[in-house]
Amino acid sequence: MNSQIKRIPMYVKAPLITFFLSLFLSSLGSAQVFEYESVTDELLQHPPTEEWLSWRGTPRSWGYSPLTQINKENVGELQLVWSWAIDDTGSAQAAPLVHDGVMFVPAPRGVIQALDATNGDLLWEYRPGVTPSIDGTDQEITSEDLGEAAMPSTAFAGVGRGVQKNIALYGDMVFAATENASIRAVDARTGLLVWESQTADPSLGYFYTAGPIVANGVLVTGVTGCERYKEDVCFYTGHDPLSGEELWRFSTVAAPGTPGGETWGDLPLRFRAGGDSWQSGSYDPELNLVYMGTSQAKPWARAVRGTDGDALYTNSTIALNPNSGEMAWYYQHLPGETHDMDETFESVLVDIDGRDSIFKMGKLAILWQLDRQSGEIIKATDAGYQNILDVNPVNGSIRYRDGMIPRIGQQIDMCPSTSGFKSWRAMAYSPQTQAMYIPITLNCELATFGPTEQVLGGGGTGPVRRINYPHHEADENLGELLVMNIPDGDVKWRYRQRAPINTAALTTGGGLVFVGDWNRYYYALDAESGEKLWQTRVTTSAQGFPMSYEIDGRQYIAMPAGVGGASWSGSLPRDLAPELNRPRHGNSINVFALPKAQ
């Protein structure tokens, strides 16, 4: 294994938790004792309708809550019942979880907070370098303790570093992946650190933005920070949730002499970059396969990175056995991708017409339907917004259009921009309508890809000189919620507006879809017709993963807000909608419910 692993400390079994809680209560300040049922594999796969146990609700990643109390008839009565400010020390794209009445919030820079989900009261807080470990020792990570675990001041500050999108619940612990390229476990009842395992050297650029998914008792996590040339590549790992021990490692870039290695030509391994994992995976327990996505090869343009091959396993969906790390299959959506068109985002598992399917969409707004068992392409549906390539709807093969393969120093006119139409803002599926609800940003770019130096530490994304402009069919609108029927791929309806849609989508059993935008608005739409039924405004841009839960018969909608982000949340609104503004602070969780009956 390539990792340097150190646990601090080993897992302490449940009967000792009360003892340690009493011993360190003074260190925790406001920590409170609360009932907490251990989270099992069965509970994750079949969660109570009132809970939200996985980053997209369940391991199938639908982004759907079956709750019906809030519905099309009464959603207009929603009111704020509590809010909570989270750290402004970094970009916030929070995906909260709720279990046993407790909301677990992933905040920037590794902070995790447990809140009373009915009123927002703080129950405990884990803060790196401050919170004690479960055995009472100071858990601050230093180079002396964990070799390269502490992020050096010289570490490459890659796009997204400091973001903590999602966490995972399993057993009696909360699991997270960190900006310093480690995976950690925190006790769910106390907020005390249980263990931390280092997977890579952060000084080489490695870090995490997405947390683990639990698959058949294994933590499966994908690393990012693979832009720069180094004597290593990106990877997925499987970890033991009790001890933090690394069980296996799968490299997302094929090395010379291994299957797929020839697709990089004669490039040595040190000059094969990319294959990052920006989003957490999904899991099918019947097939015992976990589905992960990889980003593009780097540098972005073929001419810059020096290869014309497929560059496996970049821009692929990969199915792994979570217990062994063995690859069952892969599907490369864009072989030899050359424009920064990621296909690394969420994997939505839906059974359609008797076919166990997986749905994916990347920056080009092509909806891919694959067979979950074999990886065989079922259908590729192009939403029709991009001008870069043609895709065969039956076999998924692609052909770049004339003049669209970048050459160094020559400008091309491409839609979308390198920000993409679809990005990390996850789509949601509704079993009521059998439709996919997809946040889209409508934009294009005049792009000029430049050279980079092929030396260790070099590489990076390209670079690219970009001039953003609005999509010619968008009527100056940047934001769109695109709704596509499954499985035929027909457009059910579109909702467009000036401000970019800036959150994942949430669908509910009440016939609703919730999304939020860069201009600080959240709103609820009729999932069948697209009619806007309610809206509210939050502290800063709506940003993150909205979700729903129920406690004591009352349904809640949690809506994150946040700052930070890449070009989709920086240069695009600034260049293309300059009249819109957002505060530079205001990371928060905002929770809404219907008024209580009098």
Side-chain angles (χ1 to χ4, degrees):
M1 302 274 180
N2 296 327
S3 63
Q4 294 179 326
I5 304 174
K6 176 142 179 177
R7 267 73 69 185
I8 48 174
M10 295 296 288
Y11 180 63
V12 178
K13 293 187 180 296
L16 298 180
I17 288 175
T18 302
F19 168 75
F20 286 117
L21 178 60
S22 300
L23 186 61
F24 301 114
L25 195 58
S26 60
S27 299
L28 294 175
S30 62
Q32 302 175 39
V33 179
F34 52 84
E35 296 291 329
Y36 188 86
E37 177 189 2
S38 295
V39 177
T40 63
D41 292 283
E42 174 65 21
L43 197 63
L44 286 174
Q45 293 303 322
H46 303 98
T49 58
E50 65 269 17
E51 297 203 334
W52 195 269
L53 297 182
S54 300
W55 73 292
R56 297 299 288 149
T58 74
R60 298 170 72 89
S61 296
W62 285 10
Y64 169 77
S65 168
L67 296 175
T68 60
Q69 183 182 95
I70 300 169
N71 54 54
K72 291 186 284 188
E73 285 67 42
N74 60 23
V75 67
E77 301 173 32
L78 278 185
Q79 60 184 24
L80 181 70
V81 293
W82 64 264
S83 61
W84 176 260
I86 55 180
D87 285 29
D88 270 338
T89 55
S91 178
Q93 299 170 15
L97 304 177
V98 170
H99 178 49
D100 277 349
V102 179
M103 178 180 288
F104 298 91
V105 178
R109 304 294 180 189
V111 173
I112 303 171
Q113 294 166 323
L115 308 174
D116 183 325
T118 65
N119 60 23
D121 285 348
L122 180 68
L123 302 176
W124 58 252
E125 176 181 80
Y126 170 80
R127 187 168 292 276
V130 177
T131 306
S133 64
I134 203 167
D135 67 352
T137 59
D138 183 0
Q139 69 83 46
E140 182 175 4
I141 303 168
T142 67
S143 295
E144 182 179 354
D145 292 330
L146 285 176
E148 296 295 338
M151 188 172 67
S153 59
T154 56
F156 172 60
V159 172
R161 184 162 234 152
V163 170
Q164 185 176 210
K165 290 179 183 172
N166 71 286
I167 49 181
L169 301 178
Y170 189 64
D172 298 321
M173 290 186 277
V174 182
F175 299 94
T178 77
E179 65 174 328
N180 66 357
S182 67
I183 298 172
R184 63 170 60 112
V186 172
D187 187 276
R189 295 179 176 87
T190 66
L192 298 174
L193 183 71
V194 179
W195 55 256
E196 181 152 10
S197 290
Q198 195 71 25
T199 64
D201 182 351
S203 70
L204 296 178
Y206 288 112
F207 61 100
Y208 289 96
T209 63
I213 181 174
V214 180
N216 200 17
V218 177
L219 304 177
V220 180
T221 319
V223 80
T224 188
C226 310
E227 297 178 354
R228 300 292 174 179
Y229 295 137
K230 46 185 169 279
E231 300 284 0
D232 204 354
V233 294
C234 262
F235 53 85
Y236 308 130
T237 57
H239 280 75
D240 184 325
L242 292 183
S243 67
E245 176 186 1
E246 184 174 315
L247 305 175
W248 53 261
R249 178 172 295 215
F250 177 90
S251 296
T252 59
V253 168
T258 67
E262 74 283 355
T263 62
W264 290 83
D266 59 0
L267 284 178
L269 186 62
R270 67 175 65 94
F271 297 137
R272 302 181 181 199
D276 313 67
S277 183
W278 294 100
Q279 209 97 318
S280 191
S282 301
Y283 176 59
D284 183 331
E286 294 183 2
L287 298 175
N288 195 31
L289 292 177
V290 62
Y291 304 94
M292 306 288 287
T294 58
S295 73
Q296 75 294 76
K298 297 181 179 73
W300 292 336
R302 295 177 185 174
V304 179
R305 64 177 179 261
T307 176
D308 289 328
D310 292 351
L312 290 172
Y313 295 95
T314 63
N315 255 320
S316 298
T317 297
I318 300 176
L320 299 172
N321 181 307
N323 301 101
S324 67
E326 294 181 0
M327 181 171 64
W329 57 259
Y330 75 90
Y331 182 86
Q332 191 173 39
H333 301 271
L334 304 177
E337 196 283 318
T338 187
H339 298 83
D340 182 27
M341 294 295 113
D342 288 294
E343 294 285 344
T344 185
F345 309 115
E346 70 282 351
S347 302
V348 185
L349 312 186
V350 183
D351 302 335
I352 296 292
D353 294 336
R355 197 83 181 261
D356 295 344
S357 299
I358 179 172
F359 288 87
K360 302 276 292 191
M361 181 178 281
K363 288 184 175 180
L364 288 174
I366 297 171
L367 185 65
W368 308 87
Q369 182 186 1
L370 308 176
D371 184 285
R372 284 210 301 277
Q373 185 168 1
S374 67
E376 176 188 358
I377 183 73
I378 299 173
K379 189 173 186 179
T381 304
D382 188 349
Y385 299 166
Q386 59 91 18
N387 69 349
I388 292 174
L389 54 83
D390 296 311
V391 59
N392 185 307
V394 178
N395 64 23
S397 63
I398 66 164
R399 182 187 64 82
Y400 284 98
R401 296 179 183 176
D402 292 344
M404 290 307 296
I405 295 180
R407 298 177 182 271
I408 296 175
Q410 294 185 12
Q411 187 181 87
I412 61 171
D413 186 350
M414 56 188 251
C415 297
S417 76
T418 50
S419 296
F421 295 131
K422 165 77 170 62
S423 188
W424 66 264
R425 302 170 297 271
M427 59 188 177
Y429 173 72
S430 170
Q432 293 181 328
T433 61
Q434 289 195 305
M436 207 72 71
Y437 296 78
I438 309 164
I440 295 288
T441 301
L442 299 163
N443 66 111
C444 302
E445 174 183 320
L446 299 175
T448 306
F449 291 84
T452 189
E453 193 173 6
Q454 200 170 71
V455 296
L456 287 177
T461 56
V464 60
R465 184 173 68 249
R466 55 185 296 179
I467 302 173
N468 298 311
Y469 69 92
H471 195 281
H472 59 280
E473 295 180 356
D475 296 326
E476 300 298 318
N477 291 310
L478 296 180
E480 174 176 290
L481 185 63
L482 172 65
V483 185
M484 300 178 73
N485 290 317
I486 303 299
D488 57 33
D490 292 343
V491 174
K492 186 178 183 68
W493 50 263
R494 296 181 178 93
Y495 171 83
R496 286 183 176 175
Q497 62 172 36
R498 177 72 166 148
I501 294 177
N502 212 41
T503 70
L506 167 69
T507 54
T508 75
L512 300 169
V513 55
F514 291 87
V515 285
D517 67 32
W518 194 88
N519 199 29
R520 301 192 290 128
Y521 284 103
Y522 265 103
Y523 37 90
L525 304 174
D526 185 318
E528 183 63 44
S529 68
E531 179 186 358
K532 184 187 287 188
L533 303 175
W534 172 84
Q535 73 176 25
T536 191
R537 217 166 192 193
V538 291
T539 50
T540 187
S541 60
Q543 187 162 294
F545 299 82
M547 46 83 78
S548 186
Y549 60 95
E550 184 179 284
I551 299 174
D552 295 332
R554 192 181 195 193
Q555 183 183 354
Y556 300 85
I557 306 289
M559 300 179 174
V563 296
S567 58
W568 48 265
S569 194
S571 62
L572 280 180
R574 182 181 63 246
D575 293 352
L576 304 183
E579 77 280 9
L580 303 181
N581 292 283
R582 72 170 183 185
R584 296 183 181 181
H585 305 279
N587 293 345
S588 61
I589 302 293
N590 307 272
V591 177
F592 295 80
L594 298 174
K596 287 186 176 181
Q598 299 298 319

